Amino acid sequence: SDLHLLQSPQEQEVIFDELVSALRYVGEHAQEPVGLLAITGDIFDSAMIDVAFATHRFADLHKEICAALGGEVPTVIVPGNHDRRRGGLFGPHRSELFEALRETLRGRAWVHGCNTPFLSEVVPPSYYNLPLWIVAYDSTYLPRGLVSAGGALRQEDLLYAAAQIGTKQPDWPVLFMLHHHLVPTPLTDLGPVEIENAPAVVRWGVQRVLPDLIAHADREELTMTALGAGTALSTLHTLGRSVLAIHGHKHYATARTLEGMTEG
């Protein structure tokens, strides 16, 4: 997640080379072939990046990653807020970049997020041949609002996916892919927005002005956990299956086990 490919990525090339090397180590030491490459958003640093350059640069990186993992690995990709907005924050919502990515990777990856306003999609198991259901969700659809890095989940989209799965293959778990969090990130949920490298006027606006207008507007978590996440957790629970939710957005490696909801 969160590759944040830049328009002039010279300084990123070393990072991407190290990523490929790390994945090559994974591929060489895995006890069985890698079955899935799941990428949970913020492929690009801004939705305003040059479309042709960005999509072809990522296509090259994806080819290197697959080769490192041992060949053509089934790949599922969902968008992040940086793929939709200028700097991940400023509107309007833009869909052209991910639509171009889908065209560039057609036949090589399952690119979700191009059929808005429908936000969920059950990826056909025939695509990846693993004993699980993959539900791809676009949590970045914010057609209104000039400023936000947040996300949203709608119950109707989750119910649509649940209806497609139904009672088929009852022993299969669900892999739920999205960009934004379903629960707050431990240790950072009270942290201030990190803008040390921003212009002075931006720092002044975020740190001094915004909190006077909107309580806690200078805190990261305000735009991290997706709106509707609680309802989403309840809806996923009604599937009656194990659910593994994977996301990105915060750039912190965390894992949680959630239990405690009861039938009814």
Side-chain angles (χ1 to χ4, degrees):
S1 191
D2 295 270
L3 295 169
H4 287 274
L5 195 148
L6 298 168
Q7 181 73 53
S8 301
Q10 290 88 350
E11 68 273 25
Q12 289 186 321
E13 294 305 317
V14 173
I15 298 174
F16 292 156
D17 288 345
E18 290 298 321
L19 171 64
V20 171
S21 295
L23 292 175
R24 183 175 296 110
Y25 181 87
V26 171
E28 290 174 350
H29 291 80
Q31 294 182 351
E32 56 187 62
V34 175
L36 180 71
L37 177 62
I39 303 178
T40 54
D42 282 0
I43 306 296
F44 310 105
D45 195 58
S46 174
M48 307 308 294
I49 193 171
D50 180 78
V51 170
F53 163 79
T55 55
H56 286 91
R57 176 64 189 94
F58 177 77
D60 290 341
L61 177 60
H62 177 254
K63 188 179 298 183
E64 294 174 23
I65 288 174
C66 286
L69 292 174
E72 291 298 319
V73 180
T75 303
V76 180
I77 304 172
V78 299
N81 56 299
H82 278 258
D83 303 314
R84 299 302 203 192
R85 291 179 158 237
R86 184 188 299 272
L89 184 65
F90 302 103
H93 179 89
R94 188 180 186 219
S95 59
E96 290 86 350
L97 183 57
F98 241 60
E99 290 172 356
L101 181 65
R102 180 176 63 173
E103 291 302 313
T104 301
L105 296 178
R106 187 172 292 277
R108 294 173 49 196
W110 192 279
V111 180
H112 177 59
C114 301
N115 297 320
T116 51
F118 302 101
L119 304 184
S120 69
E121 185 173 27
V122 177
V123 182
S126 59
Y127 173 68
Y128 51 88
N129 292 318
L130 294 172
L132 53 82
W133 296 101
I134 297 179
V135 176
Y137 196 94
D138 178 7
S139 63
T140 69
Y141 184 59
L142 295 175
R144 299 174 61 190
L146 293 178
V147 180
S148 179
L153 292 105
R154 301 188 305 210
Q155 188 178 36
E156 55 265 37
D157 292 288
L158 293 173
L159 292 173
Y160 171 70
Q164 290 182 288
I165 294 173
T167 59
K168 293 178 289 188
Q169 303 293 349
D171 295 331
W172 286 11
V174 170
L175 177 65
F176 186 56
M177 290 180 54
L178 73 166
H179 182 65
H180 293 84
H181 301 257
L182 289 178
V183 295
T185 306
L187 305 180
T188 67
D189 51 343
L190 293 177
V193 176
E194 298 178 1
I195 52 170
E196 288 78 7
N197 297 323
V201 65
V202 174
R203 295 199 305 273
W204 175 78
V206 171
Q207 296 171 345
R208 298 293 182 86
V209 178
L210 272 180
D212 289 337
L213 297 175
I214 304 171
H216 308 306
D218 61 335
R219 301 291 156 165
E220 286 275 5
E221 209 59 46
L222 192 69
T223 56
M224 290 295 153
T225 306
L227 186 69
T231 299
L233 287 171
S234 297
T235 305
L236 291 170
H237 175 70
T238 64
L239 291 174
R241 305 166 183 263
S242 298
V243 177
L244 176 65
I246 58 173
H247 60 81
H249 194 43
K250 195 63 179 285
H251 303 191
Y252 280 83
T254 59
R256 276 87 65 195
T257 299
L258 303 185
E259 293 183 277
M261 297 194 66
T262 57
E263 185 175 356

